[in-house]
Amino acid sequence: MRTVIEEENVSDIIDREQALYPRLTDAFDALKWWLAHRPESGELIDDINWIYKQLGDRNQTIPALVAIYTFDHYSVTIKFILVRIPSVG
């Protein structure tokens, strides 16, 4: 398991969006747990950056999350996060 580090802008986005999505903390905690255990499950988008898309649940107002991150043997650094209400589907 790796340590998860969130850049300051990620923390700011999570704090700002919390008022719109009461379950955002739960979704973000789940994302961090997943990336700490399986960071290679995302998709490599260039030489070092990865993207991972986590589905949400529109009916329960759990947002979808899209994270841009890097990782090594010891840590995962979340560099950017996009918070979106899931589309109907």
Side-chain angles (χ1 to χ4, degrees):
M1 183 171 82
R2 294 165 176 88
T3 300
V4 177
I5 302 162
E6 38 183 285
E7 301 238 338
E8 186 175 339
N9 67 316
V10 172
S11 300
D12 291 344
I13 291 168
I14 296 298
D15 290 345
R16 184 179 66 237
E17 298 290 327
Q18 184 66 42
L20 295 173
Y21 305 105
R23 300 282 311 274
L24 176 56
T25 300
D26 296 334
F28 190 53
D29 286 347
L31 173 75
K32 292 187 293 185
W33 184 93
W34 182 260
L35 292 179
H37 290 83
R38 303 251 348 254
E40 68 285 345
S41 64
E43 183 179 330
L44 187 63
I45 56 176
D46 59 25
D47 290 341
I48 61 168
N49 293 296
W50 291 71
I51 188 168
Y52 182 80
K53 299 174 185 178
Q54 177 174 285
L55 298 177
D57 185 323
R58 188 178 191 89
N59 293 330
Q60 295 186 36
T61 320
I62 299 172
L65 301 175
V66 179
I68 304 292
Y69 63 97
T70 60
F71 71 94
D72 59 26
H73 292 294
Y74 307 104
S75 65
V76 174
T77 301
I78 302 175
K79 300 170 87 174
F80 180 79
I81 191 92
L82 175 65
V83 179
R84 304 281 306 236
I85 192 68
S87 59
V88 177

